[in-house]
Amino acid sequence: MAPRKLKAFILSSLLLVLSVGLVAFSAYLLSLDKRVRDLFAGARWQLPAQVYAAPAELYPGLNLEKDTLRHELARLGYRESAELQGPGTYAVTKAALQVQTRAFDFWDGPQPSLQLGIKWSEDGNVGEVYDLEAGAPRDIVRLDPMLIGSIYPKQGEDRVLVKLSEVPELMTKGLLAVEDQGFRHHFGVSPKGILRASIANMRAGRVVQGGSTLTQQLVKNFFFGSEQTWQRKINEAFMSVLLEVHYSKDEILEAYLNEVHLGQDGNRAVHGFGLGAQFYFNKPLGELQPHEVALLVGLVKGPSFYNPRRNPKRALERRNLVLDVFREEGLITEPEHAAAIKLPLGLAGGRSGVERYPAFVELVKRQLEQQYRQEDLVSEGLRIFTTLEPRAQESLERRISAAMPQLEKARKMKEDTLEAAGVVTSVDGGEVLALVGGRDTRYAGFNRALDSRRSIGSLAKPFVYLTALMHPDRFNVYSILPDEPITLEQAGAKPWSPMNYDRQLHGPQPLVNALAQSYNLPTVYLGLQFGPKATRDTLVAAGYSGNAAPVPSMFLGAVEISPLEVAQMYGTLAAGGYQASLSSIRQVQTLDRKPLSQAQIKLKQTLPEGPVYLLNWTMQSVLTQGTARSAYSVLPGDRAYAGKTGTTDDYRDSWFAGFGADRVAVIWVGRDDNKPTGLSGANGALPIWSQVMKDLNARGLDPVPPPDVEEQLVDPASGLKADEGCPGARSVPYIQGRAPEQYAPCAHAAESAPMQWLRDIFE
């Protein structure tokens, strides 16, 4: 080939290669561009549903001590100071407690930030709530509700979305000073930034500034994860430039603030400064102090390496280096730097602010899944307002956690042998106020309150007695029941011969005493009068949803039920026979605060009022003179409560279920392997129940008899009608027209007229 032709051939080949390369490079850029635009054009994140507790309310007459309110404020992340310094702060004076609430969009409308004064009356209750700015009293005010958890995608990303305008200026400027000083000027990549960071790090003797731009970090987090290859670096650089072409600096910065990874909570990744503020400090982003801002900014470099809970010394050093940068860049003054550098990390305890109550949040998830698609719950940013009462939850957790080691020590068991579960609900409306699924209250594993179905033992007995009391022509609260041996033949099995708990016979017993002492034989006798199916029907009417076979052993609790369902059943008794399905959700809102659904309390009468009233009156004797009388060593003696102990064969399960006028509580203690514990309902579950009810200051029963119930004075010894002549006579409820008409021997009215005449002479 001639030199000229060869030269032309080579030139044309190079042009062809360049053209092909240019086309390929253009296609490559177009594909990268499409990836960038597809991600940022619409919803950039799956936004988890945020789950809130019920808000604390303040109003005159509220039974709430000053120290309890301070504890409530601390739990919400409020900061105590000498005087109010903005939302989320409070001050204590001799005369009152002042608090500046946070603004919050509640389900029934927004509440602005308020400066309030709270005074207490001599009886210890809240005496006055007043607006400090308006100088006017307030009838009722709500504190912002606690964020207790999220329902996040399977890949475990959780975040609280924030707008750039909501982020403190110190955070945005401080982040740029540490991570990307040239952010406002570069086009996605910054050679100068890499050089400047290298020099700063050499001077400090350690890593103080990063070399990658914020845009590059954002692209890496969105698209590439932790892979380290040249191909990834090249893709990252080009995509960063493309991102800068399509979006403004503020849009990119806002995206970064919401995307950055700041830590790990089990299998849940904490993303964004909004959630980081809650996770580490239990407060909104806007309330962070300089030392707290510095810690979060410092975590960007390595949330695992600088984990403040696992590596506090390392995290403190990193935070202080960031504070030095803040000072050098003029973002904080010298006095502010000197004050901040002396402060501890100031972390909120435990997993504060998010996923505090995994067992309760699990109940919320299950109830939500009955109404919404899973993908909506983890991607649409729903706001879930729940019924959880933090004070009740904290009490239930504290009492269960403290009791387990004590019970193990008393029974000489190995550590972590016993397990427990508990539920607290409201009497009105059936709201679940607290729920614990195990002794490790932060463990999001097996939820015993929901999923552990155990034999309920003597908790079944009240429903046997209620079945009988629904036949007032045959039984009343003072009917005499035999306490005699019983043997029942069973097809294909050995004869069943139940015995009393103490293996003794006690002679004929009034119905009220047989239940109070939890005697088995009178209970079986009573159950046999109407048959096992009648008892199961009563259990179902109270809220039992299982399919246990109607056999005589059901009278003594041979039926497996979860603690939550037991709470449903005893809640029906507490409400006088009216049932409201237990609920953990008050309202669901969309991301833009529009209501999707609101809980509607639907009461239905499933049990007759009169017999339920008689049963509840009878169950009060369980606590005053029966198997649960030790409760009054803890509870106020002037308040009436009703309930029942439950103990299963070989002491495998220890139960107590009971209620006052406003609260129902159920406690279970046992072993996961179903081996004996040696604990009865009275010495296992009851002490926990008593402490919880005391903590909650549960109101005592003061029932008003329904129209079909009348009260009559009765002689307890005979169960007959009494008058002033009978010492120890008590007022007893009966269904109308079913009270005894015959006077007891002790009654004056029972004596003949002559005998009464002689008595009057000598008296």
Side-chain angles (χ1 to χ4, degrees), residues 499-574:
M499 291 185 289
N500 286 327
Y501 170 79
D502 59 3
R503 298 182 178 273
Q504 302 294 316
L505 298 176
H506 309 91
Q509 295 291 318
L511 183 148
V512 60
N513 193 58
L515 182 59
Q517 301 302 330
S518 200
Y519 291 149
N520 289 341
L521 294 176
T523 302
V524 174
Y525 164 82
L526 198 60
L528 289 173
Q529 304 309 301
F530 304 98
K533 185 180 182 302
T535 294
R536 190 179 69 173
D537 290 345
T538 303
L539 288 167
V540 170
Y544 171 62
S545 62
N547 57 357
V551 294
S553 58
M554 178 180 283
F555 304 146
L556 303 183
V559 53
E560 297 179 345
I561 307 177
S562 71
L564 182 69
E565 196 163 51
V566 170
Q568 175 75 81
M569 295 160 59
Y570 273 74
T572 303
L573 299 180

Side-chain angles (χ1 to χ4, degrees), residues 373-392:
R373 299 182 307 166
Q374 176 66 22
E375 53 265 37
D376 292 336
L377 296 176
V378 301
S379 64
E380 296 301 320
L382 301 180
R383 300 205 312 165
I384 317 298
F385 294 98
T386 74
T387 59
L388 182 130
E389 187 178 279
R391 183 181 174 192

Side-chain angles (χ1 to χ4, degrees), residues 16-39:
L16 179 62
V17 170
L18 287 174
S19 299
V20 171
L22 184 60
V23 170
F25 183 65
S26 299
Y28 162 70
L29 287 182
L30 286 172
S31 68
L32 293 182
D33 188 64
K34 185 176 186 303
R35 288 181 67 186
V36 169
R37 287 185 289 107
D38 284 350
L39 184 66

Side-chain angles (χ1 to χ4, degrees), residues 272-283:
F273 286 104
L275 185 61
Q278 290 284 354
F279 181 67
Y280 290 109
F281 303 111
N282 190 28
K283 62 176 70 172

Side-chain angles (χ1 to χ4, degrees), residues 231-343:
Q231 182 181 359
R232 195 272 290 172
K233 288 285 187 181
I234 294 170
N235 288 340
E236 177 189 292
F238 281 120
M239 293 174 77
S240 298
V241 174
L242 291 169
L243 192 64
E244 295 268 359
V245 169
H246 290 296
Y247 299 98
S248 70
K249 290 289 186 179
D250 281 353
E251 287 177 304
I252 293 170
L253 181 57
E254 184 176 283
Y256 183 91
L257 292 167
N258 286 295
E259 172 60 24
V260 62
H261 179 225
L262 293 176
Q264 200 72 23
D265 181 24
N267 64 348
R268 183 177 64 115
V270 177
H271 282 265
F273 286 104
L275 185 61
Q278 290 284 354
F279 181 67
Y280 290 109
F281 303 111
N282 190 28
K283 62 176 70 172
L285 195 59
E287 294 179 18
L288 296 187
Q289 302 300 300
H291 68 287
E292 296 165 333
V293 171
L295 178 62
L296 292 186
V297 170
L299 285 174
V300 171
K301 185 58 61 181
S304 178
F305 187 77
Y306 296 110
N307 186 324
R309 292 196 171 103
R310 293 184 179 178
N311 305 301
K313 184 177 179 181
R314 192 183 294 164
L316 186 65
E317 291 175 354
R318 174 67 181 167
R319 184 205 71 177
N320 291 346
L321 283 171
V322 173
L323 284 170
D324 291 343
V325 175
F326 286 3
R327 177 191 58 189
E328 291 165 6
E329 295 296 324
L331 302 178
I332 57 175
T333 65
E334 189 67 45
E336 287 174 331
H337 175 269
I341 212 88
K342 295 177 182 178
L343 293 172

Side-chain angles (χ1 to χ4, degrees), residues 49-372:
Q50 296 178 3
V51 184
Y52 292 92
E57 296 179 334
L58 301 175
Y59 53 87
L62 174 65
N63 185 271
L64 181 72
E65 297 177 350
K66 182 185 291 186
D67 286 344
T68 304
L69 176 56
R70 292 177 70 177
H71 179 70
E72 191 79 28
L73 293 170
R75 186 162 48 201
L76 288 171
Y78 278 61
R79 181 167 52 92
E80 184 174 359
S81 55
E83 58 185 19
L84 298 183
Q85 296 180 353
T89 62
Y90 70 97
V92 181
T93 68
K94 290 183 179 181
L97 185 149
Q98 297 179 348
V99 59
Q100 184 164 351
T101 66
R102 299 178 180 125
F104 194 84
D105 288 335
F106 288 97
W107 54 88
D108 55 358
Q111 177 180 285
S113 175
L114 299 170
Q115 292 187 4
L116 303 173
I118 299 101
K119 292 184 177 180
W120 276 261
S121 54
E122 293 182 359
D123 60 5
N125 294 338
V126 173
E128 187 178 356
V129 179
Y130 53 96
D131 190 316
L132 291 172
E133 294 178 305
R138 299 292 298 248
D139 293 331
I140 187 168
V141 174
R142 289 177 292 201
L143 299 177
D144 50 296
M146 181 190 302
L147 179 64
I148 61 172
S150 301
I151 303 174
Y152 45 86
K154 290 182 179 179
Q155 62 266 33
E157 289 191 8
D158 194 7
R159 58 175 49 80
V160 173
L161 202 63
V162 295
K163 296 178 181 177
L164 187 60
S165 59
E166 299 170 343
V167 180
E169 187 178 29
L170 177 60
M171 174 154 283
T172 55
K173 289 186 175 181
L175 175 66
L176 297 181
V178 173
E179 292 294 324
D180 189 357
Q181 290 188 356
F183 175 75
R184 294 292 179 184
H185 309 291
H186 63 61
F187 292 94
V189 292
S190 175
K192 289 183 179 180
I194 295 173
L195 178 62
R196 182 172 53 248
S198 300
I199 295 172
N201 294 337
M202 288 175 62
R203 287 177 177 174
R206 62 183 65 199
V207 177
V208 177
Q209 296 183 14
S212 297
T213 67
L214 254 64
T215 312
Q216 287 176 278
Q217 293 180 39
L218 179 61
V219 168
K220 175 188 173 183
N221 290 340
F222 262 123
F223 296 101
F224 300 111
S226 59
E227 60 176 299
Q228 296 286 344
T229 64
W230 282 109
Q231 182 181 359
R232 195 272 290 172
K233 288 285 187 181
I234 294 170
N235 288 340
E236 177 189 292
F238 281 120
M239 293 174 77
S240 298
V241 174
L242 291 169
L243 192 64
E244 295 268 359
V245 169
H246 290 296
Y247 299 98
S248 70
K249 290 289 186 179
D250 281 353
E251 287 177 304
I252 293 170
L253 181 57
E254 184 176 283
Y256 183 91
L257 292 167
N258 286 295
E259 172 60 24
V260 62
H261 179 225
L262 293 176
Q264 200 72 23
D265 181 24
N267 64 348
R268 183 177 64 115
V270 177
H271 282 265
F273 286 104
L275 185 61
Q278 290 284 354
F279 181 67
Y280 290 109
F281 303 111
N282 190 28
K283 62 176 70 172
L285 195 59
E287 294 179 18
L288 296 187
Q289 302 300 300
H291 68 287
E292 296 165 333
V293 171
L295 178 62
L296 292 186
V297 170
L299 285 174
V300 171
K301 185 58 61 181
S304 178
F305 187 77
Y306 296 110
N307 186 324
R309 292 196 171 103
R310 293 184 179 178
N311 305 301
K313 184 177 179 181
R314 192 183 294 164
L316 186 65
E317 291 175 354
R318 174 67 181 167
R319 184 205 71 177
N320 291 346
L321 283 171
V322 173
L323 284 170
D324 291 343
V325 175
F326 286 3
R327 177 191 58 189
E328 291 165 6
E329 295 296 324
L331 302 178
I332 57 175
T333 65
E334 189 67 45
E336 287 174 331
H337 175 269
I341 212 88
K342 295 177 182 178
L343 293 172
L345 291 174
L347 301 174
R351 300 173 184 174
S352 200
V354 282
E355 288 305 314
R356 290 186 174 197
Y357 311 121
F360 183 89
V361 173
E362 177 61 26
L363 173 62
V364 173
K365 290 178 184 177
R366 295 189 191 186
Q367 294 190 339
L368 285 171
E369 286 169 355
Q370 297 174 10
Q371 305 176 53
Y372 301 97

